[in-house]
Protein backbone atom coordinates (compact mmCIF):
# COMPACT_ATOMS: atom_id res chain seq x y z
CA UNK A 1 0.00 0.00 0.00
CA UNK A 2 1.59 3.26 -1.14
CA UNK A 3 0.38 6.85 -1.17
CA UNK A 4 1.49 8.70 -4.30
CA UNK A 5 -0.38 11.79 -3.16
CA UNK A 6 2.18 12.27 -0.36
CA UNK A 7 4.78 13.07 -3.04
CA UNK A 8 2.61 15.15 -5.38
CA UNK A 9 0.93 17.47 -2.86
CA UNK A 10 2.69 20.84 -2.21
CA UNK A 11 4.25 19.75 1.11
CA UNK A 12 5.54 16.53 -0.47
CA UNK A 13 7.09 18.44 -3.38
CA UNK A 14 8.81 20.84 -0.97
CA UNK A 15 10.18 17.93 1.09
CA UNK A 16 11.52 16.21 -2.03
CA UNK A 17 13.18 19.44 -3.13
CA UNK A 18 14.63 19.98 0.37
CA UNK A 19 16.15 16.48 0.40
CA UNK A 20 17.76 17.06 -3.01
CA UNK A 21 19.14 20.45 -2.00
CA UNK A 22 20.47 19.15 1.34
CA UNK A 23 22.24 16.33 -0.52
CA UNK A 24 23.74 18.86 -2.95
CA UNK A 25 25.04 20.92 -0.02
CA UNK A 26 26.69 17.84 1.48
CA UNK A 27 28.42 16.94 -1.80
CA UNK A 28 29.60 20.48 -2.57
CA UNK A 29 30.94 21.10 0.95
CA UNK A 30 32.60 17.68 1.23
CA UNK A 31 34.34 17.96 -2.15
CA UNK A 32 35.36 21.53 -1.31
CA UNK A 33 37.53 20.30 1.55
CA UNK A 34 37.13 18.98 5.08
CA UNK A 35 37.88 21.44 7.89
CA UNK A 36 38.89 20.56 11.46
CA UNK A 37 36.44 23.01 12.97
CA UNK A 38 33.38 22.49 15.15
CA UNK A 39 31.54 25.02 12.96
CA UNK A 40 32.26 23.00 9.83
CA UNK A 41 31.13 19.86 11.67
CA UNK A 42 27.90 21.65 12.68
CA UNK A 43 27.20 22.65 9.08
CA UNK A 44 27.81 19.13 7.81
CA UNK A 45 25.71 17.67 10.63
CA UNK A 46 22.84 20.03 9.74
CA UNK A 47 22.84 19.02 6.09
CA UNK A 48 23.14 15.28 6.85
CA UNK A 49 20.59 15.32 9.67
CA UNK A 50 17.98 17.22 7.67
CA UNK A 51 18.58 15.14 4.54
CA UNK A 52 18.19 11.87 6.45
CA UNK A 53 15.02 12.83 8.33
CA UNK A 54 13.41 14.50 5.32
CA UNK A 55 14.03 11.35 3.28
CA UNK A 56 12.72 9.22 6.16
CA UNK A 57 9.53 11.32 6.36
CA UNK A 58 9.01 10.96 2.61
CA UNK A 59 9.46 7.18 2.76
CA UNK A 60 7.19 6.72 5.78
CA UNK A 61 4.43 8.80 4.23
CA UNK A 62 4.80 7.14 0.80
CA UNK A 63 4.52 3.69 2.36
CA UNK A 64 1.71 4.87 4.74
CA UNK A 65 3.74 3.60 7.73
CA UNK A 66 3.38 7.08 9.22
CA UNK A 67 -0.31 6.41 9.87
CA UNK A 68 0.57 3.46 12.13
CA UNK A 69 3.10 5.24 14.35
CA UNK A 70 2.11 5.74 18.03
CA UNK A 71 2.61 9.51 18.13
CA UNK A 72 1.21 12.65 16.52
CA UNK A 73 2.77 12.45 13.06
CA UNK A 74 1.60 15.87 11.82
CA UNK A 75 2.95 17.47 14.98
CA UNK A 76 6.30 15.74 14.46
CA UNK A 77 6.65 16.79 10.82
CA UNK A 78 5.63 20.39 11.57
CA UNK A 79 8.17 20.54 14.40
CA UNK A 80 10.89 19.03 12.21
CA UNK A 81 10.24 21.61 9.49
CA UNK A 82 10.64 24.42 12.03
CA UNK A 83 13.79 22.87 13.48
CA UNK A 84 15.26 22.30 10.01
CA UNK A 85 14.53 25.93 9.11
CA UNK A 86 16.38 27.15 12.20
CA UNK A 87 19.32 24.80 11.59
CA UNK A 88 19.61 25.80 7.93
CA UNK A 89 19.36 29.49 8.79
CA UNK A 90 22.28 29.18 11.24
CA UNK A 91 24.30 27.02 8.83
CA UNK A 92 23.66 29.34 5.89
CA UNK A 93 25.17 32.17 7.94
CA UNK A 94 28.03 30.23 9.55
CA UNK A 95 29.34 28.35 6.50
CA UNK A 96 29.86 31.30 4.12
CA UNK A 97 31.21 33.43 6.97
CA UNK A 98 34.03 31.04 7.85
CA UNK A 99 34.62 28.74 4.89
CA UNK A 100 34.19 30.67 1.64
CA UNK A 101 36.51 32.91 -0.35
CA UNK A 102 36.47 34.65 -3.73
CA UNK A 103 37.83 31.56 -5.53
CA UNK A 104 36.14 28.87 -3.37
CA UNK A 105 33.49 28.01 -5.95
CA UNK A 106 32.25 24.78 -4.38
CA UNK A 107 31.97 26.39 -0.98
CA UNK A 108 30.08 29.32 -2.52
CA UNK A 109 27.82 26.83 -4.30
CA UNK A 110 27.17 25.00 -1.02
CA UNK A 111 26.29 28.32 0.64
CA UNK A 112 23.85 29.31 -2.11
CA UNK A 113 22.18 25.89 -2.14
CA UNK A 114 21.94 25.99 1.67
CA UNK A 115 20.12 29.34 1.53
CA UNK A 116 17.71 28.00 -1.09
CA UNK A 117 17.07 24.93 1.08
CA UNK A 118 16.34 27.20 4.04
CA UNK A 119 13.72 28.91 1.91
CA UNK A 120 12.18 25.55 1.02
CA UNK A 121 11.95 24.48 4.67
CA UNK A 122 10.50 27.88 5.58
CA UNK A 123 7.88 27.33 2.87
CA UNK A 124 7.03 23.96 4.40
CA UNK A 125 6.60 25.63 7.80
CA UNK A 126 4.15 28.10 6.27
CA UNK A 127 2.16 25.31 4.60
CA UNK A 128 2.02 23.13 7.72
CA UNK A 129 0.92 26.09 9.84
CA UNK A 130 -1.99 26.81 7.48
CA UNK A 131 -4.28 24.21 9.03
CA UNK A 132 -8.02 24.04 8.38
CA UNK A 133 -10.13 25.87 10.95
CA UNK A 134 -10.96 23.62 13.91
CA UNK A 135 -8.14 21.14 13.29
CA UNK A 136 -6.24 20.14 16.42
CA UNK A 137 -2.73 21.53 16.75
CA UNK A 138 -0.09 19.43 18.51
CA UNK A 139 2.19 20.69 21.28
CA UNK A 140 5.21 21.31 19.06
CA UNK A 141 3.14 23.52 16.77
CA UNK A 142 2.05 25.76 19.66
CA UNK A 143 3.99 28.72 21.05
CA UNK A 144 5.13 26.65 24.05
CA UNK A 145 6.40 23.87 21.78
CA UNK A 146 8.15 26.30 19.45
CA UNK A 147 9.96 27.87 22.41
CA UNK A 148 11.08 24.42 23.58
CA UNK A 149 12.50 23.74 20.12
CA UNK A 150 14.22 27.12 20.15
CA UNK A 151 15.76 26.43 23.56
CA UNK A 152 17.28 23.15 22.40
CA UNK A 153 18.46 24.70 19.13
CA UNK A 154 20.29 27.55 20.89
CA UNK A 155 21.86 25.01 23.26
CA UNK A 156 23.21 23.16 20.20
CA UNK A 157 24.82 26.40 18.98
CA UNK A 158 26.41 26.79 22.43
CA UNK A 159 27.83 23.25 22.26
CA UNK A 160 29.25 24.00 18.81
CA UNK A 161 31.29 26.85 20.30
CA UNK A 162 32.43 25.04 23.46
CA UNK A 163 35.95 23.68 23.78
CA UNK A 164 37.18 21.70 26.78
CA UNK A 165 40.17 23.98 27.41
CA UNK A 166 37.76 26.87 27.93
CA UNK A 167 36.36 25.46 31.17
CA UNK A 168 38.32 22.37 32.24
CA UNK A 169 40.26 24.21 34.99
CA UNK A 170 37.49 26.57 36.06
CA UNK A 171 34.69 25.34 38.38
CA UNK A 172 32.49 28.41 37.68
CA UNK A 173 32.68 27.77 33.94
CA UNK A 174 32.05 24.07 34.54
CA UNK A 175 28.83 25.10 36.29
CA UNK A 176 27.83 27.02 33.16
CA UNK A 177 28.44 23.97 30.98
CA UNK A 178 26.38 21.89 33.42
CA UNK A 179 23.54 24.44 33.10
CA UNK A 180 23.62 24.27 29.30
CA UNK A 181 23.65 20.46 29.40
CA UNK A 182 20.98 19.87 32.04
CA UNK A 183 18.52 22.34 30.54
CA UNK A 184 19.07 20.87 27.08
CA UNK A 185 18.51 17.29 28.31
CA UNK A 186 15.32 18.10 30.21
CA UNK A 187 13.94 20.17 27.34
CA UNK A 188 14.49 17.21 25.01
CA UNK A 189 12.78 14.90 27.53
CA UNK A 190 9.75 17.23 27.71
CA UNK A 191 9.52 17.30 23.91
CA UNK A 192 9.78 13.51 23.61
CA UNK A 193 7.26 12.81 26.39
CA UNK A 194 4.79 15.24 24.88
CA UNK A 195 5.32 13.92 21.36
CA UNK A 196 4.86 10.36 22.63
CA UNK A 197 1.60 11.41 24.34
CA UNK A 198 2.59 9.80 27.66
CA UNK A 199 2.25 12.90 29.85
CA UNK A 200 -1.12 11.69 31.18
CA UNK A 201 0.61 8.81 33.00
CA UNK A 202 2.40 11.15 35.41
CA UNK A 203 1.02 11.12 39.00
CA UNK A 204 1.05 14.93 39.10
CA UNK A 205 -0.02 17.38 36.37
CA UNK A 206 2.68 17.43 33.72
CA UNK A 207 2.07 21.05 32.78
CA UNK A 208 2.89 22.11 36.36
CA UNK A 209 6.12 20.10 36.21
CA UNK A 210 7.00 21.99 33.05
CA UNK A 211 6.36 25.30 34.85
CA UNK A 212 8.75 24.28 37.66
CA UNK A 213 11.40 23.24 35.14
CA UNK A 214 11.05 26.50 33.20
CA UNK A 215 11.51 28.55 36.37
CA UNK A 216 14.59 26.56 37.40
CA UNK A 217 16.04 26.72 33.88
CA UNK A 218 15.54 30.51 33.71
CA UNK A 219 17.25 30.97 37.09
CA UNK A 220 20.12 28.64 36.13
CA UNK A 221 20.63 30.43 32.83
CA UNK A 222 20.60 33.77 34.66
CA UNK A 223 23.59 32.59 36.72
CA UNK A 224 25.38 31.23 33.63
CA UNK A 225 24.67 34.44 31.73
CA UNK A 226 26.61 36.37 34.38
CA UNK A 227 29.30 33.83 35.32
CA UNK A 228 30.45 32.87 31.81
CA UNK A 229 31.58 36.33 30.60
CA UNK A 230 33.00 37.26 34.00
CA UNK A 231 35.26 34.20 34.24
CA UNK A 232 36.02 33.72 30.53
CA UNK A 233 36.35 37.27 29.16
CA UNK A 234 37.41 39.40 32.14
CA UNK A 235 41.09 40.36 31.75
CA UNK A 236 41.15 38.25 28.60
CA UNK A 237 41.43 40.50 25.55
CA UNK A 238 41.21 39.17 22.02
CA UNK A 239 44.73 38.10 20.89
CA UNK A 240 46.12 40.28 18.14
CA UNK A 241 47.25 37.26 16.11
CA UNK A 242 43.92 35.46 16.44
CA UNK A 243 42.87 34.03 13.10
CA UNK A 244 39.56 33.69 11.28
CA UNK A 245 38.33 30.90 13.61
CA UNK A 246 39.57 32.43 16.84
CA UNK A 247 38.97 30.58 20.12
CA UNK A 248 38.27 33.94 21.81
CA UNK A 249 35.38 34.59 19.41
CA UNK A 250 33.80 31.32 20.53
CA UNK A 251 33.73 32.62 24.11
CA UNK A 252 31.75 35.61 22.87
CA UNK A 253 29.37 33.39 20.90
CA UNK A 254 28.64 31.31 24.01
CA UNK A 255 28.03 34.51 26.00
CA UNK A 256 25.44 35.85 23.56
CA UNK A 257 23.76 32.49 22.98
CA UNK A 258 23.38 32.09 26.78
CA UNK A 259 21.73 35.52 26.93
CA UNK A 260 19.35 34.61 24.11
CA UNK A 261 18.44 31.32 25.77
CA UNK A 262 17.85 33.04 29.10
CA UNK A 263 15.38 35.35 27.34
CA UNK A 264 13.62 32.40 25.69
CA UNK A 265 13.38 30.45 28.97
CA UNK A 266 12.05 33.56 30.73
CA UNK A 267 9.38 34.06 28.07
CA UNK A 268 8.59 30.33 28.21
CA UNK A 269 8.21 30.57 31.99
CA UNK A 270 5.86 33.55 31.81
CA UNK A 271 3.79 31.95 29.07
CA UNK A 272 3.51 28.56 30.84
CA UNK A 273 2.52 30.22 34.14
CA UNK A 274 -0.18 32.19 32.35
CA UNK A 275 -1.36 29.07 30.53
CA UNK A 276 -1.48 26.82 33.61
CA UNK A 277 -2.57 29.11 36.42
CA UNK A 278 -4.65 31.76 34.68
CA UNK A 279 -6.05 30.58 31.33
CA UNK A 280 -7.03 27.15 32.71
CA UNK A 281 -9.05 28.82 35.49
CA UNK A 282 -11.08 31.00 33.16
Amino acid sequence: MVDLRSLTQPVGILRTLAAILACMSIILAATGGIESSSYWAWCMFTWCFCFFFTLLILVLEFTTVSKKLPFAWDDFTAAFAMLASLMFLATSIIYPTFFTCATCYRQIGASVVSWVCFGVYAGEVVLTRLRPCGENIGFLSTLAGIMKLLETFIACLIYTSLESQQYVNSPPLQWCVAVYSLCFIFSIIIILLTLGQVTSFFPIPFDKLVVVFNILAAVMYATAMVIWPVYSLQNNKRPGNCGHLCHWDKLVVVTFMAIFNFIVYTLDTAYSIRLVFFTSNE
Side-chain angles (χ1 to χ4, degrees), residues 45-269:
F45 169 77
T46 294
W47 295 323
C48 293
F49 173 84
C50 293
F51 168 74
F52 172 78
F53 275 97
T54 302
L55 188 62
L56 180 63
I57 289 171
L58 287 170
V59 171
L60 292 178
E61 290 201 339
F62 179 70
T63 58
T64 67
V65 174
S66 59
K67 297 178 181 178
K68 303 177 179 66
L69 296 176
F71 56 84
W73 177 255
D74 289 339
D75 195 23
F76 168 75
T77 54
F80 171 76
M82 285 184 279
L83 179 62
S85 297
L86 288 172
M87 293 176 72
F88 261 89
L89 176 60
T91 297
S92 299
I93 295 172
I94 292 171
Y95 189 79
T97 300
F98 293 111
F99 305 110
T100 60
C101 61
T103 57
C104 303
Y105 302 115
R106 293 185 181 182
Q107 289 88 338
I108 292 173
S111 302
V112 172
V113 173
S114 184
W115 273 111
V116 175
C117 197
F118 160 70
V120 173
Y121 277 117
E124 183 184 345
V125 171
V126 172
L127 287 180
T128 54
R129 293 289 293 177
L130 296 176
R131 299 174 183 270
C133 183
E135 183 175 330
N136 290 331
I137 298 178
F139 169 74
L140 295 178
S141 298
T142 64
L143 181 58
I146 292 171
M147 284 193 285
K148 276 283 167 280
L149 286 175
L150 187 58
E151 290 157 6
T152 57
F153 169 72
I154 295 175
C156 288
L157 294 182
I158 290 175
Y159 296 144
T160 304
S161 301
L162 284 176
E163 295 178 353
S164 58
Q165 61 265 31
Q166 296 170 342
Y167 56 84
V168 67
N169 295 318
S170 174
L173 296 183
Q174 289 174 1
W175 160 254
C176 295
V177 175
V179 169
Y180 308 145
S181 302
L182 287 172
C183 293
F184 172 77
I185 291 171
F186 280 100
S187 292
I188 288 291
I189 291 174
I190 290 172
I191 290 173
L192 293 177
L193 291 175
T194 308
L195 188 63
Q197 298 177 333
V198 296
T199 57
S200 59
F201 296 104
F202 278 73
I204 57 177
F206 187 75
D207 53 357
K208 293 183 179 179
L209 278 177
V210 173
V211 170
V212 172
F213 164 73
N214 287 339
I215 294 172
L216 290 175
V219 172
M220 290 168 69
Y221 256 95
T223 63
M225 181 180 66
V226 174
I227 292 173
W228 183 270
V230 168
Y231 284 88
S232 66
L233 296 175
Q234 193 175 39
N235 301 321
N236 179 23
K237 294 183 178 180
R238 192 180 194 275
N241 60 347
C242 214
H244 197 45
L245 288 169
C246 182
H247 66 277
W248 189 90
D249 294 341
K250 293 184 177 181
L251 298 174
V252 178
V253 171
V254 173
T255 299
F256 280 98
M257 289 300 104
I259 293 172
F260 292 150
N261 228 7
F262 165 72
I263 294 172
V264 177
Y265 273 111
T266 302
L267 293 174
D268 196 4
T269 300

Side-chain angles (χ1 to χ4, degrees), residues 207-208 211 269-282:
D207 53 357
K208 293 183 179 179
V211 170
T269 300
Y271 181 75
S272 59
I273 289 175
R274 176 181 176 275
L275 209 61
V276 173
F277 295 105
F278 295 97
T279 306
S280 59
N281 294 328
E282 292 180 359

